[in-house]
Amino acid sequence: MNLNQSAPPVPPFGQPQPAYLGHHQSSYGGQPGSTTAPTSYGAYNGPVPGYQQTPPPGVSRAPPSSGAPPASTAQGPCGQTAYGQFGQGDVQNGPSSTVQMQRLPGYQPFGSAVLAPVVSQPAVLQPYGPPPTSAQVTAQLAGMQISGAVAPASPPSGLGYGPPTSLASASGSFPNSGLYGSYPQGQAPPLGQAQGHPGAQPPQRSVPPQASSFTPPASGGPRMPSMTGPLLPGQSFGGPPVSQPNHVSSPAPQVLPPGTQMTGPPGPPPPPMHSSQQPGYQLQQNGSYGPTRGPQSNYGSPYPGAAAFGSQPGPPQPLPPKRLDPDAIPSPIQVIEDDRNNRGSEPFVTGVRGQVPPLVTTNFLVKDQGNASPRYIRCTSYNIPCTSDMAKQAQVPLAAVIKPLARLPPEEASPYVVDHGESGPLRCNRCKAYMCPFMQFVEGGRRFQCCFCSCINDVPPQYFQHLDHTGKRVDAYDRPELSLGSYEFLATVDYCKNNKFPSPPAFIFMIDVSYNAIRSGLVRLLCEELKSLLDFLPREGGAEESAVRVGFVTYNKVLHFYNVKSSLAQPQMMVVSDVGDMFVPLLDGFLVNVNESQAVITSLLDQIPEMFADTRETETVFAPVIQAGMEALKAAECAGKLFLFHTSLPIAEAPGKLKNRDDRKLINTDKEKTLFQPQTGAYQTLAKECVAQGCCVDLFLFPNQYVDVATLSVVPQLTGGSVYKYACFQVENDQERFLSDLRRDVQKVVGFDAVMRVRTSTGIRAVDFFGAFYMSNTTDVELAGLDGDKTVTVEFKHDDRLNEESGALLQCALLYTSCAGQRRLRIHNLALNCCTQLADLYRNCETDTLINYMAKFAYRGVLNSPVKTVRDTLITQCAQILACYRKNCASPSSAGQLILPECMKLLPVYLNCVLKSDVLQPGAEVTTDDRAYVRQLVTSMDVAETNVFFYPRLLPLTKSPIENTTEPPAVRASDERLSNGDIYLLENGLNLFLWVGASVQQGVVQSLFGVSSFSQITSGLSVLPVLDNLLSKKVRGLIDSLRAQRSRYMKLIVVKQEDKLETLFKHFLVEDKSLSGGASYVDFLCHMHKEIRQLLS
C-alpha cells in the first residue's frame, strides 16, 4: 500500500454509483457524469407525497461520517503574531500536500503551547433518507480489498466541500520518519493498527495517471524576503497552553529566523499511535496526517532516499524556517475552488428533498422541480434534528435566509404567474397554506390533505382533476403550483386594502438644498442626472412606459412643493414653513406621469440649482420631510417610495430634531449600546405610519461630520428601504459611485405594501425574524417596500417531535403590489430532511448561511447588550457546535487534536472575521456613524454578500498570462500572500482596492498607470487611465465585472506598498491580527481548540 496517498472516503468514487430517483449517473475517473432530470418526482403515494423514503433495491449507502478519514495540521507554537507567522516556503491556498516535520530533541518553543493537529472529517452527503444499517455497511466493506496504491479522486457532485482534507504541516522538505517508519515502501501496516473500522478494508481504487506527479501550488509564489521577519513571540490568546497529543512524544518543531540553516541527525520516530487512525494517511512527526509532498521547483529537494521508509536519510540539506504552516489549516479559497470544480458544471435540480446546494461562490444553474431555488431560500442545515433536545445539544441554529424577490440569471425563468380568476388561489381551510407540490390528493382527487397541518379539504369543482395510478393528479405538470417550488398567484380584491385594487405606486424625490448640499455640487449633479434617469423608471414585463408617477420636494428648514402639471408652462413652488404640523399644499399636479409632464419637469430640474445657488441656510429638518412624503402618498391613495438626499444632522427646530451625541469614550463600556440605538422614539412612530401607508424610504446621506446614522436610518430600516452613505462627498471623486447607486436604486424592481408570512409543517415554527421590515404581530413581516436585494432571515424552533419519513416543510408567502399596481402573491416552498443522528445534521449544514445568521444575531444583540457579551456569546456557541460534533460524531482520537466537521471546517475562520468586524471590534479610525451604517446594512444582506463582506476576495492580477481574461483564482486574505512584485485587487462588496507592490516591473506600471515608475503612481487614485494595451483592458474589465456582481458600486482606491493608505487596506486582510486587537486566524483556531477542550473536559 502506498502510504503517500490519502485514504478514500467510503463508498469508492471510482466505481459507478447506482442511480437515485431516475438521475442517470455515468462515471469517469470517479467524477459522476451529467445528471439528467428525472421525468417524474418519484412516487407521490407515500405517507407524505414527493419523497422516496427508502433507497431503491440493492442500493447501499455510505457509512456515517464517524468513520471518516481524519486529517490534521502541524503542531507549532500557538502564541504567535500574524506578522512572522509563516515561513518563506511556497505560497499555497490550501492543504493540497504535506511534508513531514523534523524536530530537534530537547527544544520546545514558548513553553508547551503548541497547536494540536486539526482534523477535518469528510462527510458524504446523504440526501436520500435514513442512514444505512450496520449490515449494509458491513456488506459494502466486505467485498473490498486493499489495492497497491490509494490515490485521491475528486468527490461526487453531491459532496458539498470536496475531498477529505488533509491538513498539512510546515512548508519545506524533511526526511521521512514517522509512524510507518518500520514498514518497507508499498507494504500496508497491520490492519488493526491503521483501521478505523476493525476488519473493514478500504475500497479498491485505480491510480489516475497524474497521482504520482507533483501539482504546482494553486496560486502565489515564493514570498519576497523583504516582506517576512523573524517571529514575534508571546502575542496570543490567554489561558493555559494546549497540551501535545498523547501519541506524539518528540518535541515541537524548532522555529528559526529566515536564512538560518539547520543541521544534525533527525529526531527519533514517535511510537506507534492508537488504532483510531484511518488507512492510507501517513502520520508525520508532528502528529499530522496527510500525503507527503514531492520535490518542487525552487524549493530544496528532499533528502536522498527519502521515499524508502526503512532507509536512513543522507546528509542534511539547508532547511527553510519552520513555523505553523498556513496551508495546514482549512482554507476558504481551497473549499470555494473545490466546490466550483465539483458542482459548477452540473445544474442543481431541486426535485430531491434536503439537498445541500452548491456554495454561493459557485456559478451554477438551478432547475426547479418542486423545491425553491437556493437563490430564494438558503438554510443553515438541510437535515434538521427530529427533537428539540437534539437541537439544543448541537446548538446549530435552525434558520432560513429568504430573498423572496431575488433576481435570477437570464438563463433561469422567472416564477410563472397563475391566475385562478375570481375564486383566487386554493388554500387550506385551517392553516391557510397555499396549494403546493407537497399537498396530497385523496378520494380520487375530490379532496386534498394539507401537508402543513394534515387538514382534509374539499377540492372546488373548477379545480378538480383525476389522479393517475400513483395517486398524483394527471395535470400536475401543467400547473406550476403542483410541480414547482416557486410561482406567483394573481391576488383577488380580497387581498387588497379596503377591498379595492391598488393604484400604481409613486416615487417622490426630496432634495436637501441647504448650504452644504449646494456648495458640494450635489444638487446640480442630482438635478442633471434626474432629467435622463426618469426615463428608466421600473416597468412591468413588456410595458412601453412605466406606470410609476413622480413628485418633487426641496427642503432646508422649510419645505418647498412643486406643481409640475403637464398643462403648466412653468413649474409652481409652494412653501410650507410650519414644519410642526405638516400638510401637503397641493394634490393635483404634485404626482405626475413623466412622459406627460416631461417639459415642466426638465424646466424645474434646471431651475432648482439656480434658485438656491446663493443660500446661506445651513440648518435642516428631517422627520417633517418624511411626514410630507407619506401624507402625499396617502392623499393620492397609493403606495410608493421616497428618495431622500440629505447632508447634515437635523438640528433645526422641528419634530425629530437631533443633537450631536457622538462619544467615542463609550466604546468598550456598558453604555456602548446607546451608540446603536435611536436618540428618540419619534422615528419609530413615523416608520410605523409609513408602513401602514406603504411608504418606503431610501436615504442617500452626504455627511461631512456626525449625522447620527443610528437614528436617521430607523425609517429606511423599518420600511424595507436602503441607506447609502457618501462621507465627505466630492463631485470629482464620488459622482460615479453616487450616480451608479442612484440609477440602480431607481430602476430596480420593487414590491410595495408587502406582507410576508412563513408557514411550517407541524413540529417546528418560525420564532424570530431579522431584516429591514416592521412587525406589528408575531407572524407577519410587513414591508412598505421590498426589492430584489433584501433578505428576511427566519429562525425556527421545535414545538413538537418531527418525523424522519415525512421531513419538514417551509412555505414563504409574500403578498405585494407590483410596479404596475398589480396585487400578487409569490410563493416559495422547501422540503427538508429530519434526522435522529447528529452526524446527519453536521453532514448537511451550510457554513455560509450559518455565518449570515450569526452575524445578524450578533448585530442585533449590540442594541441591548455590551459588545463584549455579544462576542463571548458567539465564541461560546461556536465552541458548543464543534464540541458536540467532536463528542458525538467524530471517531475517537487524542484530545490534542482539533477535529472539525467537513461542512463546518471554515466556521472558525469566518466567525473570527465577524468578531473582528467594525461593529464588534472597531479600530480607532472607525466612526460611530460607520458602525451604525454597517450594522443596518448587514441586517438585510443575503448569503453571498455576507460571505464576501466578512472574508474579502484577494485576486492576484499579474500571476496569470495577460491574454487570459477570466477571473484569476483568489488567494487567502493575509499579508503573507502578498508578493511585492505583484499587483492585487481586493473586494468585499463595498470596497475595492488595487494594491501595488514596490517591486512591480516597470512595464506593468507603464501598462496600467501610464507612468514610468512606482514612485510616480498617485496613491489614492480612484480611476485607472484608459490605455490601449492588453493589461489595462484586462484589469479594467475585471473591475467592471466585479462591480456588476455587487448590489452597490465599489469605488476603487489604489494603494501603494508602504504607503499610509496601506493600513486601511490591511484591515481587510482578515486572516492576520488586526490593529484593533482582533486575533489572527491561527490564534483564533488555538483559542477555539482550548474552548472546545474545556467544554469536553
Side-chain angles (χ1 to χ4, degrees), residues 336 359-362 374-375 378 401-407 721-724 741 744-745 748 770-772 786-793 846-853 855-856 859 910 913-914 917 933-953 987-991 1042-1050 1068 1070:
I336 288 167
L359 299 183
V360 284
T361 43
T362 299
R375 302 192 207 288
R378 278 190 176 263
V401 179
I402 305 173
K403 198 176 182 183
L405 297 179
R407 284 186 308 280
S722 306
V723 179
Y724 298 85
D741 286 342
R744 198 171 180 282
D745 198 57
K748 65 185 171 190
F770 304 82
L786 176 68
D787 61 54
D789 300 323
K790 297 281 189 310
T791 64
V792 176
T793 303
E846 235 252 311
T847 300
D848 293 327
T849 311
L850 205 53
I851 288 294
N852 179 285
Y853 166 83
K856 289 172 180 176
Y859 280 18
Y910 285 164
C913 297
V914 175
S917 62
Y933 174 64
V934 168
R935 194 195 75 78
Q936 60 82 32
L937 262 185
V938 169
T939 306
S940 49
M941 274 186 184
D942 71 6
V943 180
E945 286 171 324
T946 51
N947 173 272
V948 76
F949 178 74
F950 288 116
Y951 192 95
R953 275 203 296 178
E987 65 115 356
N988 74 341
L990 298 179
N991 308 88
L1042 291 178
R1043 284 173 173 159
Q1045 293 169 28
R1046 304 294 169 213
S1047 60
R1048 291 174 182 240
Y1049 183 90
M1050 297 183 291
F1068 297 97
V1070 290

Side-chain angles (χ1 to χ4, degrees), residues 93-95 118-121 160-162 165 167 326 328-339 359-361 845-852 854 878 881-882 898-914 947 950-951 972 1070-1071 1081 1084-1085 1088:
N93 274 337
V118 180
V119 176
S120 160
Q121 299 234 350
Y161 289 98
T165 313
L167 300 170
I329 52 183
S331 158
I333 305 301
Q334 194 64 45
V335 168
I336 288 167
E337 278 305 308
D338 290 346
D339 193 75
L359 299 183
V360 284
T361 43
C845 285
E846 235 252 311
T847 300
D848 293 327
T849 311
L850 205 53
I851 288 294
N852 179 285
M854 292 171 96
C878 180
I881 291 171
L882 297 175
L898 171 59
I899 297 185
L900 303 171
E902 179 65 19
C903 285
M904 285 188 189
K905 64 184 177 192
L906 298 182
L907 188 60
V909 61
Y910 285 164
L911 185 75
N912 189 35
C913 297
V914 175
N947 173 272
F950 288 116
Y951 192 95
R972 292 167 70 164
V1070 290
E1071 289 201 16
Y1081 176 18
F1084 185 69
L1085 210 55
M1088 212 66 239

Side-chain angles (χ1 to χ4, degrees), residues 6-18 20 25-33 60-63 68-69 121-126 140 144 150-165 202-208 281 342 843 902:
S6 56
V10 186
F13 302 133
Q15 298 168 0
Q17 298 260 14
Y20 283 101
Q25 293 184 320
S26 66
S27 164
Y28 50 93
Q31 184 74 19
S60 60
R61 289 198 199 83
Q121 299 234 350
V124 180
L125 290 186
Q126 298 180 338
Q140 195 171 334
M144 301 172 185
V150 186
S154 35
S157 55
L159 226 93
Y161 289 98
T165 313
Q204 189 166 344
R205 168 98 50 84
S206 60
V207 185
Y281 277 97
N342 298 327
R843 198 178 286 121
E902 179 65 19

Side-chain angles (χ1 to χ4, degrees), residues 243-267:
S243 67
Q244 272 185 284
N246 55 20
H247 54 269
V248 177
S249 61
S250 50
Q254 178 161 6
V255 181
L256 300 170
T260 310
Q261 294 191 0
M262 185 172 142
T263 53

Side-chain angles (χ1 to χ4, degrees), residues 657-852:
K657 174 186 173 180
L658 301 177
K659 62 178 192 288
N660 187 334
R661 53 162 188 165
D662 190 16
D663 187 0
R664 290 192 61 84
K665 292 198 286 291
L666 296 181
I667 292 176
N668 294 327
T669 69
D670 284 352
K671 288 189 177 173
E672 185 173 4
K673 61 191 175 199
T674 59
L675 297 175
F676 297 109
Q677 297 166 353
Q679 273 190 48
T680 157
Y683 287 96
Q684 269 130 324
T685 310
L686 182 58
K688 187 175 170 184
E689 292 171 26
C690 286
V691 172
Q693 184 47 49
C695 168
C696 174
V697 179
D698 278 2
L699 175 60
F700 292 80
L701 283 171
F702 306 87
N704 290 333
Q705 53 199 28
Y706 178 74
V707 287
D708 200 349
V709 173
T711 304
L712 297 190
S713 64
V714 165
V715 178
Q717 178 81 2
L718 292 177
T719 59
S722 306
V723 179
Y724 298 85
K725 180 167 164 284
Y726 310 89
C728 303
F729 179 80
Q730 293 175 304
V731 170
E732 57 277 11
N733 290 338
D734 302 299
Q735 74 168 28
E736 194 181 353
R737 178 174 157 227
F738 163 55
L739 295 180
S740 175
D741 286 342
L742 176 64
R743 286 168 195 148
R744 198 171 180 282
D745 198 57
V746 168
Q747 293 174 43
K748 65 185 171 190
V749 174
V750 181
F752 291 97
D753 214 356
V755 182
M756 185 180 114
R757 181 175 283 194
V758 178
R759 293 179 173 84
T760 53
S761 53
T762 312
I764 54 170
R765 62 194 168 88
V767 292
D768 207 352
F769 300 84
F770 304 82
F773 52 76
Y774 176 75
M775 291 186 81
S776 55
N777 57 38
T778 56
T779 54
D780 294 333
V781 174
E782 298 173 47
L783 303 122
L786 176 68
D787 61 54
D789 300 323
K790 297 281 189 310
T791 64
V792 176
T793 303
V794 187
E795 187 185 4
F796 303 98
K797 289 262 164 69
H798 288 75
D799 57 8
D800 203 348
R801 189 184 171 85
L802 291 166
N803 184 328
E804 246 181 315
E805 279 189 6
S806 53
L809 300 175
L810 317 177
Q811 184 179 79
C812 163
L814 177 79
L815 174 65
Y816 71 99
T817 302
S818 73
C819 291
Q822 199 175 47
R823 203 71 175 145
R824 291 185 176 182
L825 281 151
R826 181 168 287 202
I827 312 295
H828 299 296
N829 303 288
L830 185 64
L832 302 173
N833 284 330
C834 298
C835 58
T836 52
Q837 301 294 321
L838 283 166
D840 290 327
L841 164 69
Y842 283 102
R843 198 178 286 121
N844 292 281
C845 285
E846 235 252 311
T847 300
D848 293 327
T849 311
L850 205 53
I851 288 294
N852 179 285

Side-chain angles (χ1 to χ4, degrees), residues 155-413:
S157 55
L159 226 93
Y161 289 98
T165 313
S166 138
L167 300 170
S169 67
S171 239
S173 300
F174 307 106
N176 275 304
S177 74
L179 178 63
Y180 296 131
S182 57
Y183 302 119
Q185 185 177 17
Q187 184 180 322
L191 271 177
Q193 187 171 308
Q195 286 294 80
H197 297 288
Q201 308 214 344
Q204 189 166 344
R205 168 98 50 84
S206 60
V207 185
Q210 74 274 23
S212 59
S213 65
F214 167 69
T215 313
S219 62
R223 188 84 168 96
M224 290 296 180
S226 65
M227 297 288 285
T228 45
L231 207 61
L232 303 178
Q235 296 180 340
S236 72
F237 280 99
V242 183
S243 67
Q244 272 185 284
N246 55 20
H247 54 269
V248 177
S249 61
S250 50
Q254 178 161 6
V255 181
L256 300 170
T260 310
Q261 294 191 0
M262 185 172 142
T263 53
M273 182 184 146
H274 56 69
S275 65
S276 69
Q277 196 203 330
Q278 299 294 319
Y281 277 97
Q282 179 176 331
L283 180 67
Q284 286 137 22
Q285 204 163 336
N286 65 335
S288 296
Y289 301 96
T292 50
R293 177 184 299 179
Q296 302 179 30
S297 55
N298 304 334
Y299 306 101
S301 62
Y303 288 97
F309 286 88
S311 64
Q312 286 298 313
Q317 302 288 319
L319 291 173
K322 292 212 254 339
R323 306 173 201 155
L324 185 63
D325 181 13
D327 296 331
I329 52 183
S331 158
I333 305 301
Q334 194 64 45
V335 168
I336 288 167
E337 278 305 308
D338 290 346
D339 193 75
R340 277 183 184 154
N341 296 336
N342 298 327
R343 307 196 66 185
S345 53
E346 297 296 326
F348 178 69
V349 182
T350 72
V352 180
R353 180 178 86 186
Q355 285 184 103
V356 182
L359 299 183
V360 284
T361 43
T362 299
N363 282 327
F364 60 98
L365 274 181
V366 179
K367 288 189 176 169
D368 185 342
Q369 292 195 353
N371 283 293
S373 159
R375 302 192 207 288
Y376 294 123
I377 306 181
R378 278 190 176 263
C379 295
T380 53
S381 179
Y382 288 80
N383 202 332
I384 58 181
C386 280
T387 64
S388 59
D389 289 346
M390 221 175 125
K392 278 184 195 132
Q393 188 183 0
Q395 286 285 317
V396 177
L398 305 176
V401 179
I402 305 173
K403 198 176 182 183
L405 297 179
R407 284 186 308 280
L408 301 179
E411 310 85 61
E412 293 176 25

